[in-house]
Amino acid sequence: MSNQRYAWICFFCCSLVPALAQQNGPTGLSERPATAPPASANRSIALDVVVSDKSGKPVSGLQQQDFTILDNKKPRRIESFHAVDGGASTTADPAEVILFLDEVNTPFAEAAIEQQEIEAFLKKSATQLPGPTSIILLRQLGAVLGATSSRDANALIAALNQGRSGQLVTGKQIEAYGLDGWQQLSLYTLDQLAGYEATRPGRKLLVWISPGWPLLRTDLSADDPDEGLNTKEQKEMFGTIVALSVKLRQARMTIYDIDPSGLADANQLRTSDYKQFEKGVKSANQVQVGSLGLQVLADQTGGRVLNSSNDMSGEISKCLADARGYYVVSFDAPAGDGPNEYHALEIKVDKPGLTARSRTGYYAQP
């Protein structure tokens, strides 16, 4: 991990305690809205697009004329097109990989398995990492550890086992806020990481290993994901949704969620609960607590939600396969008729049997 990234972790360590202390409401970051990067006169939007066949295998060799961008169902002119093929061996600007082990929202026994599986993956895939790889641990007692960004699997394993820590808050301090403490910690971590990565070039694949955040955990009945929000809370949470969407897009960050519970959760209703929140939020009165779920963000950034396998190493490989063959397509976005105007995006591929996966929307400004 670079010194700059470790610096934001240290800043996060110093900032979280007052953030929790000031919080009163049930919606986490809705009480502390994320701040979007300054708006730019350049309205160009770049999309990282993965095209797959019926078996899910990424497809390379397509041309610009094979793609159509639909913005609110209206075709947009493709301003630039670039195909990325071959992974790290032939790519001048390889995608960055961030493996994120979430020990805050994961039961203790599964958290131990997470680290073992990451180590097993690195040993098996030492020569197949598609780009510079980092490891971040969000630990049960509030410690964040970082492993140096590297393609050297042995160096990553050593850093993973040794770790570097910064004390945030104790588990008891977070638990004093109920499940909302875990939610805020998770969202604030993502917000800080996205803000940092938005200053750096290139695509980033964030593989977040977690069963999901409490707002979508239906087995944890203390917080009801369908709990109603008042008008003020909806407005504040909408501001967070917009700002986080902008940061993730500007960072070119795709999120992948791997549930470490694997087959133990595969037949549970909760593994599909997030689908009711997948559609983009157009206005504050549409906001629900589940609108900021980890699985929802993964889907909206063009990533994947993998929750039906005990082969965590294989699931990570599926995620990283997206870095070995994809397309960077850009278009000029129109000005919005008002602030934070939501636009739904869809990528069509003019080839039978192929599907495209990319960001599902953005917020236009006047």
Side-chain angles (χ1 to χ4, degrees), residues 168-204:
L168 300 179
V169 290
T170 67
K172 288 185 178 179
Q173 285 175 307
I174 295 179
E175 287 170 359
Y177 292 85
L179 295 178
D180 185 43
W182 306 124
Q183 176 188 342
Q184 174 160 336
L185 178 59
S186 303
L187 285 168
Y188 189 56
T189 303
L190 177 60
D191 174 68
Q192 293 296 296
L193 179 58
Y196 168 74
E197 293 293 351
T199 67
R200 292 159 46 82
R203 186 184 183 196
K204 296 91 180 181

mmCIF file of all heavy atoms in Angstrom, residues 168-204:
data_model
loop_
_atom_site.group_PDB
_atom_site.id
_atom_site.type_symbol
_atom_site.label_atom_id
_atom_site.label_comp_id
_atom_site.label_asym_id
_atom_site.label_seq_id
_atom_site.Cartn_x
_atom_site.Cartn_y
_atom_site.Cartn_z
ATOM 1 N N LEU A 168 -9.136 2.647 15.772
ATOM 2 C CA LEU A 168 -10.263 3.525 15.489
ATOM 3 C C LEU A 168 -11.072 3.715 16.757
ATOM 4 O O LEU A 168 -10.866 4.641 17.520
ATOM 5 C CB LEU A 168 -11.135 2.920 14.394
ATOM 6 C CG LEU A 168 -10.459 2.660 13.043
ATOM 7 C CD1 LEU A 168 -11.456 2.041 12.085
ATOM 8 C CD2 LEU A 168 -9.921 3.935 12.463
ATOM 9 N N VAL A 169 -11.991 2.836 16.987
ATOM 10 C CA VAL A 169 -12.803 2.844 18.199
ATOM 11 C C VAL A 169 -12.969 1.404 18.621
ATOM 12 O O VAL A 169 -12.787 0.488 17.838
ATOM 13 C CB VAL A 169 -14.181 3.491 17.949
ATOM 14 C CG1 VAL A 169 -14.057 4.970 17.719
ATOM 15 C CG2 VAL A 169 -14.883 2.823 16.794
ATOM 16 N N THR A 170 -13.321 1.187 19.867
ATOM 17 C CA THR A 170 -13.506 -0.180 20.336
ATOM 18 C C THR A 170 -14.854 -0.716 19.886
ATOM 19 O O THR A 170 -15.764 0.040 19.523
ATOM 20 C CB THR A 170 -13.440 -0.238 21.865
ATOM 21 O OG1 THR A 170 -14.572 0.459 22.401
ATOM 22 C CG2 THR A 170 -12.157 0.385 22.383
ATOM 23 N N GLY A 171 -14.975 -2.033 19.921
ATOM 24 C CA GLY A 171 -16.239 -2.650 19.557
ATOM 25 C C GLY A 171 -17.382 -2.143 20.425
ATOM 26 O O GLY A 171 -18.491 -1.921 19.952
ATOM 27 N N LYS A 172 -17.119 -1.919 21.733
ATOM 28 C CA LYS A 172 -18.174 -1.447 22.624
ATOM 29 C C LYS A 172 -18.651 -0.058 22.247
ATOM 30 O O LYS A 172 -19.829 0.266 22.333
ATOM 31 C CB LYS A 172 -17.682 -1.454 24.072
ATOM 32 C CG LYS A 172 -17.541 -2.851 24.673
ATOM 33 C CD LYS A 172 -17.165 -2.778 26.140
ATOM 34 C CE LYS A 172 -17.082 -4.168 26.747
ATOM 35 N NZ LYS A 172 -16.701 -4.107 28.185
ATOM 36 N N GLN A 173 -17.705 0.808 21.792
ATOM 37 C CA GLN A 173 -18.103 2.147 21.392
ATOM 38 C C GLN A 173 -19.014 2.110 20.173
ATOM 39 O O GLN A 173 -20.009 2.830 20.097
ATOM 40 C CB GLN A 173 -16.861 2.994 21.084
ATOM 41 C CG GLN A 173 -16.105 3.450 22.325
ATOM 42 C CD GLN A 173 -14.841 4.175 21.965
ATOM 43 O OE1 GLN A 173 -14.010 3.673 21.211
ATOM 44 N NE2 GLN A 173 -14.666 5.369 22.510
ATOM 45 N N ILE A 174 -18.685 1.253 19.211
ATOM 46 C CA ILE A 174 -19.507 1.150 18.014
ATOM 47 C C ILE A 174 -20.851 0.523 18.360
ATOM 48 O O ILE A 174 -21.905 0.975 17.914
ATOM 49 C CB ILE A 174 -18.789 0.327 16.931
ATOM 50 C CG1 ILE A 174 -17.530 1.060 16.459
ATOM 51 C CG2 ILE A 174 -19.716 0.090 15.734
ATOM 52 C CD1 ILE A 174 -16.744 0.323 15.408
ATOM 53 N N GLU A 175 -20.827 -0.524 19.199
ATOM 54 C CA GLU A 175 -22.059 -1.224 19.550
ATOM 55 C C GLU A 175 -23.031 -0.332 20.313
ATOM 56 O O GLU A 175 -24.236 -0.582 20.340
ATOM 57 C CB GLU A 175 -21.727 -2.474 20.364
ATOM 58 C CG GLU A 175 -21.104 -3.579 19.511
ATOM 59 C CD GLU A 175 -20.547 -4.715 20.348
ATOM 60 O OE1 GLU A 175 -20.630 -4.617 21.597
ATOM 61 O OE2 GLU A 175 -20.041 -5.681 19.769
ATOM 62 N N ALA A 176 -22.513 0.742 20.915
ATOM 63 C CA ALA A 176 -23.393 1.667 21.625
ATOM 64 C C ALA A 176 -24.386 2.320 20.669
ATOM 65 O O ALA A 176 -25.434 2.806 21.091
ATOM 66 C CB ALA A 176 -22.561 2.742 22.332
ATOM 67 N N TYR A 177 -24.045 2.315 19.381
ATOM 68 C CA TYR A 177 -24.928 2.890 18.369
ATOM 69 C C TYR A 177 -25.732 1.807 17.665
ATOM 70 O O TYR A 177 -26.361 2.059 16.647
ATOM 71 C CB TYR A 177 -24.107 3.680 17.351
ATOM 72 C CG TYR A 177 -23.487 4.916 17.949
ATOM 73 C CD1 TYR A 177 -22.269 4.844 18.609
ATOM 74 C CD2 TYR A 177 -24.134 6.145 17.888
ATOM 75 C CE1 TYR A 177 -21.701 5.969 19.186
ATOM 76 C CE2 TYR A 177 -23.573 7.273 18.460
ATOM 77 C CZ TYR A 177 -22.357 7.179 19.106
ATOM 78 O OH TYR A 177 -21.799 8.291 19.683
ATOM 79 N N GLY A 178 -25.695 0.582 18.191
ATOM 80 C CA GLY A 178 -26.418 -0.505 17.560
ATOM 81 C C GLY A 178 -25.790 -0.844 16.214
ATOM 82 O O GLY A 178 -24.624 -0.557 15.942
ATOM 83 N N LEU A 179 -26.595 -1.449 15.349
ATOM 84 C CA LEU A 179 -26.092 -1.830 14.032
ATOM 85 C C LEU A 179 -25.722 -0.619 13.197
ATOM 86 O O LEU A 179 -24.951 -0.717 12.255
ATOM 87 C CB LEU A 179 -27.157 -2.660 13.300
ATOM 88 C CG LEU A 179 -27.480 -4.004 13.942
ATOM 89 C CD1 LEU A 179 -28.571 -4.711 13.161
ATOM 90 C CD2 LEU A 179 -26.251 -4.874 14.045
ATOM 91 N N ASP A 180 -26.274 0.551 13.548
ATOM 92 C CA ASP A 180 -25.952 1.753 12.802
ATOM 93 C C ASP A 180 -24.471 2.089 12.881
ATOM 94 O O ASP A 180 -23.899 2.675 11.973
ATOM 95 C CB ASP A 180 -26.791 2.918 13.338
ATOM 96 C CG ASP A 180 -26.602 4.178 12.522
ATOM 97 O OD1 ASP A 180 -26.581 4.071 11.290
ATOM 98 O OD2 ASP A 180 -26.468 5.253 13.113
ATOM 99 N N GLY A 181 -23.810 1.713 13.995
ATOM 100 C CA GLY A 181 -22.384 1.951 14.103
ATOM 101 C C GLY A 181 -21.607 1.189 13.049
ATOM 102 O O GLY A 181 -20.683 1.720 12.422
ATOM 103 N N TRP A 182 -21.994 -0.086 12.823
ATOM 104 C CA TRP A 182 -21.322 -0.880 11.796
ATOM 105 C C TRP A 182 -21.613 -0.302 10.409
ATOM 106 O O TRP A 182 -20.738 -0.265 9.543
ATOM 107 C CB TRP A 182 -21.794 -2.330 11.853
ATOM 108 C CG TRP A 182 -21.656 -2.988 13.196
ATOM 109 C CD1 TRP A 182 -22.653 -3.584 13.912
ATOM 110 C CD2 TRP A 182 -20.465 -3.133 13.979
ATOM 111 N NE1 TRP A 182 -22.161 -4.082 15.086
ATOM 112 C CE2 TRP A 182 -20.825 -3.823 15.160
ATOM 113 C CE3 TRP A 182 -19.150 -2.742 13.805
ATOM 114 C CZ2 TRP A 182 -19.914 -4.130 16.154
ATOM 115 C CZ3 TRP A 182 -18.234 -3.049 14.801
ATOM 116 C CH2 TRP A 182 -18.602 -3.730 15.949
ATOM 117 N N GLN A 183 -22.844 0.126 10.200
ATOM 118 C CA GLN A 183 -23.211 0.693 8.905
ATOM 119 C C GLN A 183 -22.395 1.943 8.605
ATOM 120 O O GLN A 183 -21.847 2.107 7.522
ATOM 121 C CB GLN A 183 -24.702 1.037 8.893
ATOM 122 C CG GLN A 183 -25.160 1.736 7.614
ATOM 123 C CD GLN A 183 -26.591 2.229 7.716
ATOM 124 O OE1 GLN A 183 -27.345 1.779 8.566
ATOM 125 N NE2 GLN A 183 -26.947 3.154 6.856
ATOM 126 N N GLN A 184 -22.294 2.845 9.591
ATOM 127 C CA GLN A 184 -21.559 4.079 9.359
ATOM 128 C C GLN A 184 -20.087 3.789 9.117
ATOM 129 O O GLN A 184 -19.463 4.379 8.233
ATOM 130 C CB GLN A 184 -21.712 5.039 10.535
ATOM 131 C CG GLN A 184 -20.837 6.282 10.366
ATOM 132 C CD GLN A 184 -21.275 7.438 11.207
ATOM 133 O OE1 GLN A 184 -22.427 7.530 11.584
ATOM 134 N NE2 GLN A 184 -20.358 8.328 11.490
ATOM 135 N N LEU A 185 -19.526 2.899 9.904
ATOM 136 C CA LEU A 185 -18.121 2.546 9.738
ATOM 137 C C LEU A 185 -17.868 2.006 8.338
ATOM 138 O O LEU A 185 -16.897 2.389 7.666
ATOM 139 C CB LEU A 185 -17.719 1.515 10.790
ATOM 140 C CG LEU A 185 -16.281 0.986 10.741
ATOM 141 C CD1 LEU A 185 -15.287 2.124 10.883
ATOM 142 C CD2 LEU A 185 -16.063 -0.046 11.838
ATOM 143 N N SER A 186 -18.745 1.132 7.851
ATOM 144 C CA SER A 186 -18.582 0.533 6.527
ATOM 145 C C SER A 186 -18.696 1.591 5.427
ATOM 146 O O SER A 186 -17.852 1.672 4.528
ATOM 147 C CB SER A 186 -19.643 -0.550 6.309
ATOM 148 O OG SER A 186 -19.593 -1.534 7.313
ATOM 149 N N LEU A 187 -19.745 2.403 5.493
ATOM 150 C CA LEU A 187 -19.967 3.412 4.456
ATOM 151 C C LEU A 187 -18.892 4.489 4.472
ATOM 152 O O LEU A 187 -18.443 4.949 3.419
ATOM 153 C CB LEU A 187 -21.343 4.037 4.639
ATOM 154 C CG LEU A 187 -22.527 3.175 4.210
ATOM 155 C CD1 LEU A 187 -23.837 3.777 4.714
ATOM 156 C CD2 LEU A 187 -22.571 3.025 2.694
ATOM 157 N N TYR A 188 -18.472 4.893 5.661
ATOM 158 C CA TYR A 188 -17.452 5.930 5.743
ATOM 159 C C TYR A 188 -16.119 5.430 5.206
ATOM 160 O O TYR A 188 -15.374 6.172 4.547
ATOM 161 C CB TYR A 188 -17.316 6.405 7.193
ATOM 162 C CG TYR A 188 -16.443 7.633 7.338
ATOM 163 C CD1 TYR A 188 -16.728 8.801 6.627
ATOM 164 C CD2 TYR A 188 -15.345 7.638 8.193
ATOM 165 C CE1 TYR A 188 -15.942 9.927 6.757
ATOM 166 C CE2 TYR A 188 -14.551 8.768 8.328
ATOM 167 C CZ TYR A 188 -14.850 9.912 7.619
ATOM 168 O OH TYR A 188 -14.061 11.024 7.744
ATOM 169 N N THR A 189 -15.811 4.170 5.456
ATOM 170 C CA THR A 189 -14.593 3.581 4.905
ATOM 171 C C THR A 189 -14.631 3.613 3.380
ATOM 172 O O THR A 189 -13.658 4.005 2.724
ATOM 173 C CB THR A 189 -14.419 2.136 5.394
ATOM 174 O OG1 THR A 189 -14.405 2.106 6.809
ATOM 175 C CG2 THR A 189 -13.128 1.538 4.869
ATOM 176 N N LEU A 190 -15.748 3.184 2.800
ATOM 177 C CA LEU A 190 -15.887 3.198 1.349
ATOM 178 C C LEU A 190 -15.806 4.613 0.812
ATOM 179 O O LEU A 190 -15.155 4.872 -0.211
ATOM 180 C CB LEU A 190 -17.210 2.555 0.950
ATOM 181 C CG LEU A 190 -17.530 2.567 -0.558
ATOM 182 C CD1 LEU A 190 -16.461 1.822 -1.349
ATOM 183 C CD2 LEU A 190 -18.910 1.951 -0.809
ATOM 184 N N ASP A 191 -16.442 5.558 1.467
ATOM 185 C CA ASP A 191 -16.415 6.955 1.026
ATOM 186 C C ASP A 191 -14.992 7.493 0.996
ATOM 187 O O ASP A 191 -14.575 8.136 0.022
ATOM 188 C CB ASP A 191 -17.292 7.793 1.967
ATOM 189 C CG ASP A 191 -17.207 9.279 1.668
ATOM 190 O OD1 ASP A 191 -17.694 9.691 0.598
ATOM 191 O OD2 ASP A 191 -16.654 10.029 2.492
ATOM 192 N N GLN A 192 -14.213 7.229 2.033
ATOM 193 C CA GLN A 192 -12.837 7.708 2.092
ATOM 194 C C GLN A 192 -11.966 7.035 1.030
ATOM 195 O O GLN A 192 -11.144 7.681 0.374
ATOM 196 C CB GLN A 192 -12.262 7.471 3.485
ATOM 197 C CG GLN A 192 -12.917 8.294 4.577
ATOM 198 C CD GLN A 192 -12.699 9.788 4.381
ATOM 199 O OE1 GLN A 192 -11.569 10.279 4.428
ATOM 200 N NE2 GLN A 192 -13.781 10.505 4.161
ATOM 201 N N LEU A 193 -12.147 5.744 0.848
ATOM 202 C CA LEU A 193 -11.374 5.020 -0.157
ATOM 203 C C LEU A 193 -11.702 5.523 -1.558
ATOM 204 O O LEU A 193 -10.802 5.760 -2.368
ATOM 205 C CB LEU A 193 -11.655 3.521 -0.051
ATOM 206 C CG LEU A 193 -10.933 2.623 -1.070
ATOM 207 C CD1 LEU A 193 -9.428 2.804 -0.975
ATOM 208 C CD2 LEU A 193 -11.312 1.160 -0.857
ATOM 209 N N ALA A 194 -12.993 5.708 -1.854
ATOM 210 C CA ALA A 194 -13.391 6.201 -3.176
ATOM 211 C C ALA A 194 -12.852 7.606 -3.412
ATOM 212 O O ALA A 194 -12.408 7.936 -4.525
ATOM 213 C CB ALA A 194 -14.912 6.179 -3.307
ATOM 214 N N GLY A 195 -12.889 8.451 -2.381
ATOM 215 C CA GLY A 195 -12.368 9.805 -2.525
ATOM 216 C C GLY A 195 -10.883 9.809 -2.830
ATOM 217 O O GLY A 195 -10.405 10.588 -3.670
ATOM 218 N N TYR A 196 -10.141 8.927 -2.182
ATOM 219 C CA TYR A 196 -8.708 8.830 -2.459
ATOM 220 C C TYR A 196 -8.453 8.307 -3.875
ATOM 221 O O TYR A 196 -7.664 8.868 -4.638
ATOM 222 C CB TYR A 196 -8.035 7.916 -1.436
ATOM 223 C CG TYR A 196 -6.625 7.533 -1.825
ATOM 224 C CD1 TYR A 196 -5.585 8.439 -1.721
ATOM 225 C CD2 TYR A 196 -6.353 6.261 -2.333
ATOM 226 C CE1 TYR A 196 -4.299 8.106 -2.098
ATOM 227 C CE2 TYR A 196 -5.069 5.914 -2.709
ATOM 228 C CZ TYR A 196 -4.041 6.837 -2.593
ATOM 229 O OH TYR A 196 -2.776 6.496 -2.984
ATOM 230 N N GLU A 197 -9.149 7.237 -4.249
ATOM 231 C CA GLU A 197 -8.919 6.626 -5.552
ATOM 232 C C GLU A 197 -9.388 7.527 -6.697
ATOM 233 O O GLU A 197 -8.915 7.399 -7.830
ATOM 234 C CB GLU A 197 -9.628 5.273 -5.639
ATOM 235 C CG GLU A 197 -9.059 4.201 -4.710
ATOM 236 C CD GLU A 197 -7.644 3.776 -5.083
ATOM 237 O OE1 GLU A 197 -7.151 4.174 -6.159
ATOM 238 O OE2 GLU A 197 -7.033 3.032 -4.286
ATOM 239 N N ALA A 198 -10.301 8.462 -6.429
ATOM 240 C CA ALA A 198 -10.754 9.391 -7.468
ATOM 241 C C ALA A 198 -9.629 10.321 -7.916
ATOM 242 O O ALA A 198 -9.706 10.915 -8.997
ATOM 243 C CB ALA A 198 -11.945 10.208 -6.976
ATOM 244 N N THR A 199 -8.581 10.444 -7.103
ATOM 245 C CA THR A 199 -7.443 11.293 -7.470
ATOM 246 C C THR A 199 -6.393 10.537 -8.266
ATOM 247 O O THR A 199 -5.409 11.127 -8.694
ATOM 248 C CB THR A 199 -6.785 11.876 -6.199
ATOM 249 O OG1 THR A 199 -6.167 10.815 -5.442
ATOM 250 C CG2 THR A 199 -7.806 12.583 -5.329
ATOM 251 N N ARG A 200 -6.605 9.243 -8.455
ATOM 252 C CA ARG A 200 -5.612 8.400 -9.133
ATOM 253 C C ARG A 200 -6.180 7.873 -10.442
ATOM 254 O O ARG A 200 -7.369 7.579 -10.549
ATOM 255 C CB ARG A 200 -5.238 7.216 -8.221
ATOM 256 C CG ARG A 200 -4.479 7.628 -6.980
ATOM 257 C CD ARG A 200 -4.566 6.590 -5.875
ATOM 258 N NE ARG A 200 -4.328 5.233 -6.333
ATOM 259 C CZ ARG A 200 -3.122 4.692 -6.515
ATOM 260 N NH1 ARG A 200 -2.035 5.408 -6.278
ATOM 261 N NH2 ARG A 200 -3.005 3.451 -6.905
ATOM 262 N N PRO A 201 -5.329 7.753 -11.469
ATOM 263 C CA PRO A 201 -5.810 7.280 -12.769
ATOM 264 C C PRO A 201 -6.051 5.776 -12.786
ATOM 265 O O PRO A 201 -5.606 5.044 -11.896
ATOM 266 C CB PRO A 201 -4.664 7.661 -13.709
ATOM 267 C CG PRO A 201 -3.438 7.579 -12.835
ATOM 268 C CD PRO A 201 -3.894 8.072 -11.485
ATOM 269 N N GLY A 202 -6.763 5.317 -13.807
ATOM 270 C CA GLY A 202 -6.925 3.894 -14.028
ATOM 271 C C GLY A 202 -8.153 3.304 -13.372
ATOM 272 O O GLY A 202 -8.824 3.924 -12.546
ATOM 273 N N ARG A 203 -8.443 2.069 -13.757
ATOM 274 C CA ARG A 203 -9.586 1.345 -13.231
ATOM 275 C C ARG A 203 -9.219 0.637 -11.933
ATOM 276 O O ARG A 203 -8.080 0.200 -11.754
ATOM 277 C CB ARG A 203 -10.049 0.308 -14.269
ATOM 278 C CG ARG A 203 -11.334 -0.396 -13.883
ATOM 279 C CD ARG A 203 -11.723 -1.483 -14.858
ATOM 280 N NE ARG A 203 -12.997 -2.062 -14.459
ATOM 281 C CZ ARG A 203 -13.465 -3.211 -14.916
ATOM 282 N NH1 ARG A 203 -12.774 -3.899 -15.807
ATOM 283 N NH2 ARG A 203 -14.637 -3.672 -14.506
ATOM 284 N N LYS A 204 -10.189 0.532 -11.012
ATOM 285 C CA LYS A 204 -9.971 -0.171 -9.749
ATOM 286 C C LYS A 204 -11.063 -1.208 -9.532
ATOM 287 O O LYS A 204 -12.250 -0.917 -9.703
ATOM 288 C CB LYS A 204 -9.968 0.790 -8.552
ATOM 289 C CG LYS A 204 -8.829 1.804 -8.567
ATOM 290 C CD LYS A 204 -9.238 3.081 -9.267
ATOM 291 C CE LYS A 204 -8.101 4.081 -9.284
ATOM 292 N NZ LYS A 204 -8.517 5.337 -9.955
#
